[in-house]
Amino acid sequence: VQYYEKALTYSKKVNNTFNSSAMYNNLGIINMEQGKYKEAVMYYHKALDMRVIDKDTAGMAQCYNNLSRLYFYKNNFPLALDYADKALDLSRKSSSIRSESLALSAMISIYSKSKDYKKALESFKIYQSLSDSIHILNQTRSTEQLELQYEYEKQSREYEFEQQIKYAQKERQIIIYVIVIVLLLFLIFIFIMLYRQQRIRNRENLLMQKLLEPENKNLSVKRDSLEQEVETKTRE
């Protein structure tokens, strides 16, 4: 009850009459099951008023069915029959087979209690005919449901297959990216190694030049000395 009342409060805040009427109707059902018929009648009529404003014929039929059941429990058969008759009329206008079935079921019980067996039998025949229609409708719905389920499963499999393909393509792209990155890193590594090797060679050459430089100077001095000596002897 607390949750329905909270839901009703929020529905009123946003001015949602559809939800508000549903909450009133549910509160009526709870109070009726608890034997609080006065409170239940109040809630049912509040729900009914909102559904009349919204022109919700199916919802109105539901309220009338609930009121019919309530007055049946109170042994007020004339009022219960009146509400059941209204529920039947509105349920047919709104093509609500469930409400129509409930209204006919209520009429059968009311006529039986009132010992009007002729009308009870008439209501039962209509109810039985409606039950056959409901059975056929349920079979049709079951077939439609199976078809929808098959279609849904088919689409799910197709979607899953597409996702697998996309995932495989993504994995392939990732592998290609990894290979390209590895190759680039390998080339960078080779370049660095070659660069370092070249620098080492340059340093070695420079070092050799520095080591050979004194020797070259000595050779140059010796050569100059020998040339002078030769020149002196030649003059002599």
Side-chain angles (χ1 to χ4, degrees), residues 20-34:
S20 296
S21 63
M23 294 306 106
Y24 277 130
N25 189 61
N26 290 332
L27 286 166
I29 292 170
I30 292 170
N31 278 275
M32 185 175 67
E33 289 175 350
Q34 292 175 350

Side-chain angles (χ1 to χ4, degrees), residues 31-79:
N31 278 275
M32 185 175 67
E33 289 175 350
Q34 292 175 350
K36 300 176 182 178
Y37 297 121
K38 187 177 179 180
E39 291 83 354
V41 169
M42 177 190 69
Y43 285 125
Y44 284 146
H45 278 290
K46 284 186 176 182
L48 183 61
D49 291 341
M50 287 187 172
R51 288 172 174 177
V52 169
I53 293 169
D54 290 341
K55 297 180 180 179
D56 180 8
T57 52
M60 290 162 63
Q62 186 183 34
C63 289
Y64 283 133
N65 270 322
N66 288 334
L67 284 165
S68 175
R69 188 156 60 103
L70 184 147
Y71 284 109
F72 179 80
Y73 290 156
K74 292 182 70 176
N75 294 321
N76 190 340
F77 302 129
L79 199 53

Side-chain angles (χ1 to χ4, degrees), residues 73-127:
Y73 290 156
K74 292 182 70 176
N75 294 321
N76 190 340
F77 302 129
L79 199 53
L81 183 62
D82 181 57
Y83 281 123
D85 188 57
K86 289 178 179 177
L88 182 63
D89 181 57
L90 287 171
S91 60
R92 286 173 176 172
K93 287 179 180 178
S94 60
S95 300
S96 177
I97 297 175
R98 183 176 179 277
S99 290
E100 186 179 354
S101 176
L102 289 171
L104 287 167
S105 178
M107 284 180 169
I108 294 167
S109 299
I110 294 165
Y111 285 132
S112 297
K113 284 285 184 179
S114 303
K115 297 182 180 181
D116 191 344
Y117 300 114
K118 183 179 179 182
K119 288 185 178 179
L121 182 61
E122 289 174 358
S123 298
F124 177 76
K125 288 179 179 178
I126 299 169
Y127 176 80

Side-chain angles (χ1 to χ4, degrees), residues 9-224:
T9 302
Y10 291 126
S11 297
K12 284 181 177 180
K13 283 182 179 179
V14 296
N15 198 26
N16 189 331
T17 55
F18 181 82
N19 283 343
S20 296
S21 63
M23 294 306 106
Y24 277 130
N25 189 61
N26 290 332
L27 286 166
I29 292 170
I30 292 170
N31 278 275
M32 185 175 67
E33 289 175 350
Q34 292 175 350
K36 300 176 182 178
Y37 297 121
K38 187 177 179 180
E39 291 83 354
V41 169
M42 177 190 69
Y43 285 125
Y44 284 146
H45 278 290
K46 284 186 176 182
L48 183 61
D49 291 341
M50 287 187 172
R51 288 172 174 177
V52 169
I53 293 169
D54 290 341
K55 297 180 180 179
D56 180 8
T57 52
M60 290 162 63
Q62 186 183 34
C63 289
Y64 283 133
N65 270 322
N66 288 334
L67 284 165
S68 175
R69 188 156 60 103
L70 184 147
Y71 284 109
F72 179 80
Y73 290 156
K74 292 182 70 176
N75 294 321
N76 190 340
F77 302 129
L79 199 53
L81 183 62
D82 181 57
Y83 281 123
D85 188 57
K86 289 178 179 177
L88 182 63
D89 181 57
L90 287 171
S91 60
R92 286 173 176 172
K93 287 179 180 178
S94 60
S95 300
S96 177
I97 297 175
R98 183 176 179 277
S99 290
E100 186 179 354
S101 176
L102 289 171
L104 287 167
S105 178
M107 284 180 169
I108 294 167
S109 299
I110 294 165
Y111 285 132
S112 297
K113 284 285 184 179
S114 303
K115 297 182 180 181
D116 191 344
Y117 300 114
K118 183 179 179 182
K119 288 185 178 179
L121 182 61
E122 289 174 358
S123 298
F124 177 76
K125 288 179 179 178
I126 299 169
Y127 176 80
Q128 192 175 29
S129 175
L130 187 65
S131 297
D132 293 338
S133 300
I134 292 171
H135 180 67
I136 294 168
L137 182 62
N138 287 335
Q139 284 184 332
T140 305
R141 285 179 179 174
S142 298
T143 305
E144 290 175 353
Q145 187 176 2
L146 288 172
E147 290 176 354
L148 287 170
Q149 187 176 355
Y150 171 76
E151 189 64 28
Y152 171 77
E153 289 176 355
K154 181 182 176 183
Q155 289 179 358
S156 297
R157 286 194 297 269
E158 289 176 355
Y159 176 77
E160 187 178 351
F161 182 68
E162 288 176 359
Q163 291 298 314
Q164 287 177 353
I165 292 172
K166 287 180 181 179
Y167 182 74
Q169 289 175 345
K170 192 174 180 180
E171 278 191 334
R172 184 180 175 186
Q173 287 178 348
I174 291 170
I175 291 169
I176 292 170
Y177 291 149
V178 170
I179 291 170
V180 170
I181 290 169
V182 169
L183 286 173
L184 285 172
L185 291 172
F186 180 73
L187 290 173
I188 291 169
F189 174 76
I190 295 295
F191 175 77
I192 291 171
M193 293 301 294
L194 289 173
Y195 177 74
R196 289 185 65 185
Q197 190 174 4
Q198 186 62 37
R199 286 191 66 185
I200 291 169
R201 285 178 182 175
N202 290 338
R203 286 179 182 178
E204 288 177 351
N205 290 333
L206 184 62
L207 183 61
M208 288 296 295
Q209 287 177 2
K210 286 183 178 180
L211 290 172
L212 291 173
E213 187 174 351
E215 292 182 6
N216 290 334
K217 284 183 179 181
N218 290 332
L219 288 172
S220 179
V221 170
K222 286 181 180 180
R223 188 182 62 189
D224 292 341

